[in-house]
Amino acid sequence: MRPSAAAAAADGHPAGAFGLVVAAVALAATAAYVLAALRLRARGDAWPQWRDASFAAGCLAIAHAMMMPLPGGPFTAHMVHHVVTAMAAPVLVVLGRPLTLLLRTVPPGRVRRGFLGVAHSRPAAWLLFPPVAALLDMGGLWLLHRSPLLAAAHHRPVLGAAVQAHLLAAGLLFAFSVCRLDPVRHRWGLAVRGTTLFVAGAAHAVLAKTLYAVPPPGTAFAASDLRDGARLMYYGGDLVELALAGVLAVEWYTRRGRALRPRARRAAAPGRLEPAAGGRRFT
Amino acid sequence: MPNGAAPPPTAPRTRRSLAVFALIGAALMAALDEIVFHQILHWHHFYDRSTPGIGLLSDGLLHTAELGALVAGGVLYADLRRLRALSPAHARAGFVLGLGGFQLFDGVVDHKLLRLHQIRYGVDVTPYDWAWNAAGLLLLLLGAVLAVRARRTGDRRADA
């Protein structure tokens, strides 16, 4: 399949207006993030540097994948684009805790209340229910590769842009709901988020394996291109899944550490918490 | 821990040590299989066209579980160390049991029952299957011996 310039948006090649807009938004977001973090530090808040680095890396990766030619044949390039923009970069962006930063830097008032209202709204809560986010992400991915959608997106730039926008948004939503580092309405527990990650990871791996043998309907990629792309999807998915599982593991470890701390203090100063033991009583 | 006060040493959690290391062992064996036989030797095929759908699904679930197990095992191990509750003898036994358990499971369920892929293509696979499963069985036996020994040593220490 030879991607025409107009259809490039769906393919991960240097793309038209949509790619430009996304890249510009990503760069603007990076600048805004860095400025906000500087302001926060200037007023004395603690905000680790690595969060800036993570957010910036995620945004720059998205901008790069939108603007620059990607390696490999058309299908491999499409998969590089998918793994970078819809999987790896969202994790980096989410690790920067952008919503927390936003709520901390915007001064109290109508704007801040508006942001809070959106973050705590019922639709946002539904979208951030991990299985829903996973369904939007993996469902979209399956639909794209197992229906004639990918082929159609090649020929219709608007459809291609819509597909890309969905994959990017769903990738961000999924990473956000699994990591759950920012303050939103419902705090789903580790069990729900871990199970969702597991099922979504399996759905991704199975799709990658089937793509190795059977191309998306209506497309005619070269066999070697198809195989390279499928392998990239499979092992790229592994790395992202490891990263997300690592985020959950760190959360569990930290939380358990906090629960253990009172016990450690008691052990360090025995007797201090038992006033009845040696205390003199007034009668 | 940031406040510097390490939690007090607790009694070794023998069962937990064994279970955590069985998890790590199984996940590591799965990862080794992926790296050695898929990536380096290219004996296994990434996707064998005769794989049925249910096999593909179970492969996806298993592969994802193996990655999760690697991370979960790592953090559970870190937690045991933080509690100073690791029993090294039980951990060793669990590790070998995990290695053998996955090897045998892979050889019997993945290769034969689900027919995901074979050990090698273009040759008579029978000796490979025997070697594969015998290695798994040997590891399992070794793990069982280590577990019994760990338990006896633990009992003796408890008596003393």
Side-chain angles (χ1 to χ4, degrees), chain B residues 1-159:
Chain B
M1 267 167 126
N3 66 357
T10 35
R13 299 206 178 157
T14 52
R15 266 195 203 165
R16 202 177 161 96
S17 300
L18 191 131
V20 166
F21 270 80
L23 191 70
I24 295 176
L28 264 185
M29 193 52 125
L32 264 180
D33 174 71
E34 188 87 28
I35 293 164
V36 174
F37 291 95
H38 285 266
Q39 302 292 329
I40 298 177
L41 292 175
H42 291 290
W43 278 12
H44 293 3
H45 286 183
F46 181 74
Y47 179 75
D48 175 340
R49 271 154 204 273
S50 65
T51 313
I54 182 76
L56 213 54
L57 178 64
S58 85
D59 182 56
L61 286 170
L62 195 70
H63 182 70
T64 313
E66 140 207 344
L67 295 175
L70 212 53
V71 174
V75 77
L76 286 167
Y77 167 58
D79 187 54
L80 275 174
R81 295 221 23 188
R82 175 166 68 182
L83 292 169
R84 293 193 241 158
L86 184 76
S87 161
H90 287 85
R92 269 194 294 277
F95 187 66
V96 179
L97 279 173
L99 291 177
F102 183 81
Q103 175 86 353
L104 198 61
F105 174 86
D106 196 35
V108 174
V109 178
D110 285 347
H111 295 166
K112 295 296 128 193
L113 292 180
L114 291 170
R115 306 199 74 84
L116 281 177
H117 52 242
Q118 298 306 313
I119 297 172
R120 208 173 172 180
Y121 293 82
V123 292
D124 177 19
V125 84
T126 318
Y128 288 94
D129 279 334
W130 276 101
W132 189 276
N133 294 333
L137 208 56
L138 268 179
L139 281 170
L140 265 183
L141 284 175
L142 179 63
V145 170
L146 284 175
V148 170
R149 274 179 53 186
R151 202 167 155 188
R152 281 199 194 136
T153 326
D155 288 348
R156 232 176 290 142
R157 252 187 229 142
D159 292 340

